[in-house]
Each structure stands twice: as C-alpha cells, then as structure tokens.
Amino acid sequence: MKLTIKKDLLLDALNKVSKAISTKNLIPVLAGIKFELKKKKLTLTASDNDITIQTSIDCNDDDDFVIEREGSIIIQGKYILDIVRKLPDKYINIDVIDELKILIYTENSEFNLNGISESEYPNIGLEESKKKVILKAGVFKSIVNQTAFASSNEESKPVLTGINFNIVGDMLECNSTDSYRLARKVVKLDKECEENYNIVIPSHNIIEFSKILGDDEEEVELHIFNNKILFKNGNLKFESRLINGTYPNTSNLLPDDSYLIISTTLDSFYSVIDRVSILTSDKEKNIVTLETNGNTLILRSSSAEIGRVEEKMPITKNNNEDIKISFSAKYMMEALKSFSTETVDIHFVGEIKPILIKSTEDETLTQLVLPIRTY
C-alpha cells in the first residue's frame, strides 16, 4: 500500500473514525484503524465492539489523493492520529514496506510504525437494510440535542441509558428519561415506514454520531436490525448496538390537562433560574421554589450555610389560579435549553404533579420535570 494524500482530507476521516477507538479494549487489534486502499478509494474503519465507524475518501485523479499501490494494513489509532494532526505539511505520504512496516513521511519528517495484518481484524459487515428510514441530518441533530440529556447514567437500569425511537407509519417519537424527567420529540417522516420499530439506542453512541454528522440538509439513513442499527450519511457509516429490554410507556407520565399555564420569554426565565440557583448548596438537587402571585412569578432558593435569594419577573397566565412548587434548577435549565423558541409555556397540574414545558412555536417538543417535595 502506497499513497500521497492531502493532510486535511486524511485528518477529517481520522477524526471521525477515531471516536470508535477504545484504549481499554481487551482485543489489541481494536486499538487500531484499518486502512483499506482498493478501487480508487481509501476506506478507514475503527471499532470497539460497541460502535463501529467507517468512512471513505474517493480518489478523483487530482493531486489531493494519489494512489501508487493498493493494499490493507492496521495502524495504531492513537499514533496515526497524533502524527497526522501535528505534521505541518500540506501532503502526507504513507508507504507499507515488508507487509507490516509503515513509513509515514513528508519533506522533512519520517515516522516508522509497526502495523498489524488486516487478517487479524474482526470481520465487520456494516450491512444495510432494504427498509431504511430517512431523516435530514439537521432534524437528527435536533432529536439528539433535545432528548439525549434526559437519559440516565445509572447502569442498573440499562434501558434508561438510551433514547427510545418509536416509529409507527410516518411518525417518529423519541423519548428519553432518567425517572426524574422526560424529554419527548415527535417528528413527521417524509415517507411512511413499511415496518413499525420500537428500539433503544445508547445515548452516548448516538451523541458521538451526531457530532460527526455533515451538513444539515444531507440525508441520514437508519438501517434497523434486531440487535443493532446502522446510520449512513454520505461516505460515513456508523453502527451501534441496541439496548435489549422494553422501554417504559412514558405516555403515562404526561398529564392530560393542566389547571395553570404560565407563559414567559425563554431567555428571561432561564436567566432567573440560573441566578437563583447560585445559592443552592446541593449541586445535584439545587432546589428552587417557584411561586405565582397574580401576574408575578417569584423564584427563591436558600441554604442555611450560604444565604437566600429571591427574584421576581412578570408572566402571563391562563387563569387566576396560583401555585407554589419546587424543582431541580439543573433539570429545569437543561429542559429549557432544548428549546430554540422565544417563549415557553409552563403547565402545572398540581404541587406534587409533573411540570410540563412546551412552546406554541414548536409543538414537536415536550419536556417534563418532576417536582421535589421540600417538606
């Protein structure tokens, strides 16, 4: 294998696949990136058994990518990434000598690395399904940004560490919950699906994929299988395992009606909660108390060791009812951050019932935060 390639082209591909390299893997070969140079194309593959990422660079017969000799080799991921990132040259040469010796050189630099035979790499198919689901990359990123934060970090409940994708006909409903809050995003697909799907994708994996996604207008294909999902975006393929288990029916958590709805500007409400939470002592719970008095919203927090704070802001309400309720400032702020609208509506069902956050500007998104009892 011998090639000359523009540094930026190679670095972009390496940055994508390196997300799948694990230094803790028990199989040493999985610390490497598989380089496969065939049919005027360089394909890079990396896997840690949990996710697999593959991307390719096409040779267009220009100076940016010149192939001299085809072949395959596995190169230690950490070292090839560091070398390519730190070399100052515009073009990089890679030459495999004696099958397992790799020479990486530019005009003034030369690195000699030991490679691993491609025969030692696990057989990775990255097969595609005939029944694919298609989304715009921008829509996919929105789903991840607006739901993933609400999933659990507790490995004792594996199914809650993922995002639930529920596809029926032309509707995709995504849910994520850690039992204390819930994020729900509903998307209408351009095309009706031949099959219904109800799967759970690990949040960490789906976040990593959204980070390397291309232009918002590009398409993302979802190829769903029994125990895995393959995402395809242009030359990029990203495969993740699915989490086994039945996702809880989160629709039960969403109240059917609310007796009080307050409307406020998103930025103002977020800023007030942010300031009031400064004096909360427990960073995990950081409890803030919300109270309405006519068209005034009062937010308070206090700590015996630190002190107390109170802020007021104007609101509009749907009726003359008032409420007093406490919640986690952290959870409320993360829920609010998922909206990109100017205003939000906060729905109250009772002092010990879930708080719903919605916006008339974006009816596809619903956030739910459970109150905290302070007595």
Side-chain angles (χ1 to χ4, degrees), residues 105-323:
Y105 63 97
T106 61
E107 192 179 343
N108 298 310
S109 307
E110 185 179 297
F111 290 84
N112 287 275
L113 292 180
N114 296 323
I116 303 170
S117 168
E118 70 150 335
S119 61
E120 293 187 37
Y121 207 75
N123 185 22
I124 292 167
L126 296 177
E127 61 199 290
E128 297 177 28
S129 164
K130 289 173 184 170
K131 299 172 183 175
K132 60 189 176 189
V133 181
I134 297 174
L135 287 169
K136 282 274 192 287
V139 173
F140 189 88
K141 288 177 198 172
S142 294
I143 289 170
V144 176
N145 293 336
Q146 294 176 325
T147 61
F149 68 89
S151 58
S152 175
N153 297 320
E154 299 288 326
E155 291 299 332
S156 57
K157 294 179 182 173
V159 79
L160 297 187
T161 62
I163 301 176
N164 174 223
F165 274 56
N166 193 0
I167 303 171
V168 178
D170 63 350
M171 296 305 293
L172 163 62
E173 182 184 286
C174 300
N175 290 293
S176 144
T177 181
D178 61 2
S179 299
Y180 303 104
R181 52 184 167 170
L182 166 70
R184 169 173 290 182
K185 176 79 173 175
V186 179
V187 174
K188 193 175 192 308
L189 304 172
D190 292 337
K191 187 181 167 190
E192 198 161 309
C193 288
E194 295 176 45
E195 260 184 61
N196 295 343
Y197 299 99
N198 194 346
I199 57 170
V200 186
I201 309 165
S203 287
H204 174 74
N205 297 358
I206 209 169
I207 289 168
E208 289 301 328
F209 174 61
S210 73
K211 284 178 186 172
I212 56 176
L213 260 178
D215 185 81
D216 283 0
E217 289 307 309
E218 289 180 3
E219 287 187 343
V220 177
E221 296 176 9
L222 281 63
H223 300 265
I224 302 167
F225 300 91
N226 284 337
N227 59 351
K228 64 181 181 180
I229 183 167
L230 174 74
F231 300 105
K232 189 181 176 189
N233 171 231
N235 286 344
L236 176 69
K237 287 183 176 182
F238 185 109
E239 188 177 85
S240 165
R241 68 179 172 90
L242 296 177
I243 299 173
N244 291 325
T246 305
Y247 204 79
N249 180 9
T250 51
S251 296
N252 299 340
L253 295 169
L254 297 167
D256 294 328
D257 55 356
S258 43
Y259 79 85
L260 175 64
I261 303 170
I262 66 169
S263 300
T264 178
T265 54
L266 174 60
D267 290 347
S268 302
F269 189 46
Y270 182 92
S271 298
V272 169
I273 294 173
D274 194 16
R275 288 194 296 273
V276 171
S277 68
I278 292 171
L279 298 194
T280 55
S281 53
D282 186 341
K283 280 297 169 199
E284 276 310 301
K285 284 189 178 160
N286 49 24
I287 299 169
V288 164
T289 299
L290 175 152
E291 190 176 344
T292 59
N293 184 357
N295 285 338
T296 302
L297 182 68
I298 306 158
L299 284 155
R300 301 185 184 94
S301 76
S302 62
S303 160
E305 309 89 54
I306 307 165
R308 62 190 297 276
V309 58
E310 178 178 298
E311 279 224 23
K312 294 177 182 176
M313 66 178 289
I315 50 161
T316 54
K317 297 194 300 184
N318 67 327
N319 58 39
N320 294 321
E321 297 283 346
D322 280 313
I323 192 163

